[in-house]
Amino acid sequence: MRTSAVGTVTYVDGDRVWVFGHQLEGVGRRALLLQDAYVFRIVNNPTALGALASTYKLASSGHDLGTISSDGFSAVAGRTGALPHTVPVQVIARDLDTNAVAAINTSAADEAAVDLPSGGSWTSFIAPLAVSQAAAGLLGSTPARLTGNMCAKIALKEIEKPLRFCNRYVSTSATQSDDGSSLNAVLSGASSDLANAISSIDAYTGTPPQVTGINVLLKVRRGADQAFIRSVRLPSRVRPGQRVRARVSLQRVRGGTFARNYTVRIPGDAPRGSQRVRFVGQDADQGEDGFTTIIIGDDDERDEGGDPGPTSLKELEAQIKATARYDGVTARVGRSSRFEAFRDDEFRISGSADATVRVTRDAR
């Protein structure tokens, strides 16, 4: 997978190169790869009706030759020879239905040393794109009903062990993008989680850590592995802190009913007496729509001075690991705090159900 901007070489003086004759982004210092390119042909459009209908080059980037170091209003400049630091990105996608595998190995130019002049890293753009590309290439389609698991590993030079997180995704419907193509919540959700994790590193306000590699394993299967709770049975008497068996009746989406047993720990702060236990599952994932809503509160909120984010690499590590989400069933005994009740490795359990128990100090 390659992403690049192709333009015209304007002037060469030894190892110094000026290109474009205009800005790329106009953000000053850069640390991008300088590459050659092959132009297949010029696609002419004499009418030039708007930016999308003008004459353009049909071209492909080629070999790494050096470093683009300046991006000004009048030109983009660099030198041949030494290459900028890049972050290797590997994504392996596996089709659990056919055992087919697709792999993408690419690298993203790392501009952390020049203070991320575009505002964010190219890694936060390239790595999520590689996830979507690997999965789409593997499946050859974007089915609305899909189940996937993604495990990501982000290596930082300053932290001994790579940062890891895993999430499960379940999609039951498709959404439409602005260009009319179909979006799947599994692929967009996995890409979004990886982008958010890398963006946390970009936004770190301390001495920026150096990303040395990103590895992703994505497993997908057709169909939504989702089931809805129909009922839950618990022992009639329970004790705070006791582990009890829950007999759960489930309705598989587009399938039959079945029952499973799970172990539930009654929380230590469960109130005494006859109590209703409310079980609530997690719905299927929703596709990203690409829009962000910014809500501004009152003046007091705007005067808080901004969020500094994690104050240490240890806190940053914890924030990235927190990308992993619990997607099981939660519960509440009476008005006590909600707690994690149980999770199924095969199904995303959705819906809700109630059970009644008597919470006592002993088992009698």
Side-chain angles (χ1 to χ4, degrees):
M1 187 187 73
R2 302 176 70 89
T3 59
S4 54
V6 178
T8 306
V9 175
T10 304
Y11 186 75
V12 178
D13 181 6
D15 65 343
R16 295 180 292 177
V17 181
W18 287 262
V19 298
F20 289 14
H22 55 78
Q23 66 181 13
L24 175 61
E25 292 180 282
V27 293
R29 293 191 303 164
R30 304 307 301 254
L32 300 174
L33 285 165
L34 172 64
Q35 301 172 312
D36 58 12
Y38 182 82
V39 179
F40 296 94
R41 66 176 299 172
I42 302 298
V43 180
N44 187 33
N45 189 319
T47 61
L49 298 176
L52 298 179
S54 60
T55 300
Y56 64 92
K57 306 176 188 69
L58 178 61
S60 177
S61 60
H63 309 89
D64 299 339
L65 301 181
T67 300
I68 291 292
S69 57
S70 177
D71 179 9
F73 293 138
S74 301
V76 175
R79 288 178 181 266
T80 57
L83 301 178
H85 178 257
T86 58
V87 177
V89 177
Q90 181 187 66
V91 178
I92 298 176
R94 182 182 299 276
D95 186 337
L96 297 178
D97 295 321
T98 65
N99 289 325
V101 175
I104 286 183
N105 291 280
T106 188
S107 296
D110 182 14
E111 294 193 290
V114 291
D115 200 25
L116 302 178
S118 293
S121 69
W122 289 106
T123 310
S124 65
F125 170 74
I126 296 299
L129 184 61
V131 171
S132 296
Q133 179 67 21
L138 177 69
L139 297 172
S141 59
T142 53
R145 296 181 179 274
L146 198 67
T147 301
N149 289 272
M150 182 186 73
C151 287
K153 180 175 68 174
I154 303 174
L156 301 181
K157 182 179 180 181
E158 293 77 8
I159 298 178
E160 182 179 359
K161 295 182 178 180
L163 311 182
R164 305 171 185 264
F165 66 88
C166 296
N167 277 322
R168 175 171 59 179
Y169 309 89
V170 179
S171 171
T172 58
S173 61
T175 58
Q176 297 296 315
S177 64
D178 292 338
D179 62 4
S181 60
S182 179
L183 293 177
N184 182 282
V186 173
L187 307 188
S188 62
S191 299
S192 178
D193 282 344
L194 183 60
N196 289 337
I198 301 172
S199 296
S200 296
I201 301 172
D202 295 347
Y204 182 61
T205 55
T207 302
Q210 183 177 8
V211 180
T212 57
I214 294 177
N215 296 86
V216 175
L217 175 61
L218 177 66
K219 299 178 181 179
V220 294
R221 65 164 56 90
R222 295 159 188 81
D225 292 341
Q226 182 185 21
F228 280 82
I229 302 175
R230 299 189 66 175
S231 64
V232 179
R233 286 191 299 171
L234 296 173
S236 59
R237 291 176 178 269
V238 298
R239 301 189 310 273
Q242 181 185 10
R243 295 185 181 275
V244 300
R245 188 182 77 166
R247 183 70 171 175
V248 183
S249 176
L250 298 164
Q251 169 74 56
R252 181 172 183 173
V253 172
R254 301 179 66 83
T257 60
F258 61 100
R260 289 194 172 174
N261 295 324
Y262 302 100
T263 298
V264 177
R265 182 184 179 277
I266 304 299
D269 63 348
R272 306 299 193 272
S274 180
Q275 301 292 339
R276 185 186 73 165
V277 184
R278 178 73 169 172
F279 293 90
V280 179
Q282 302 284 339
D283 198 4
D285 297 291
Q286 304 299 317
E288 298 290 335
D289 60 10
F291 294 95
T292 300
T293 300
I294 300 176
I295 301 176
I296 299 178
D298 55 31
D299 290 341
D300 290 339
E301 292 178 348
R302 291 198 298 269
D303 290 341
E304 288 180 356
D307 181 9
T311 59
S312 66
L313 288 177
K314 188 174 182 179
E315 290 185 7
L316 176 63
E317 179 180 2
Q319 179 174 313
I320 293 175
K321 289 182 177 180
T323 306
R325 294 183 299 277
Y326 174 74
D327 70 343
V329 175
T330 60
R332 173 180 293 160
V333 181
R335 296 184 178 181
S336 65
S337 301
R338 185 164 294 280
F339 62 95
E340 296 178 1
F342 55 86
R343 179 184 184 275
D344 196 289
D345 291 335
E346 297 181 28
F347 296 93
R348 168 76 62 81
I349 299 180
S350 306
S352 61
D354 295 337
T356 301
V357 299
R358 178 167 290 278
V359 181
T360 63
R361 292 185 179 273
D362 53 48
R364 293 178 298 173

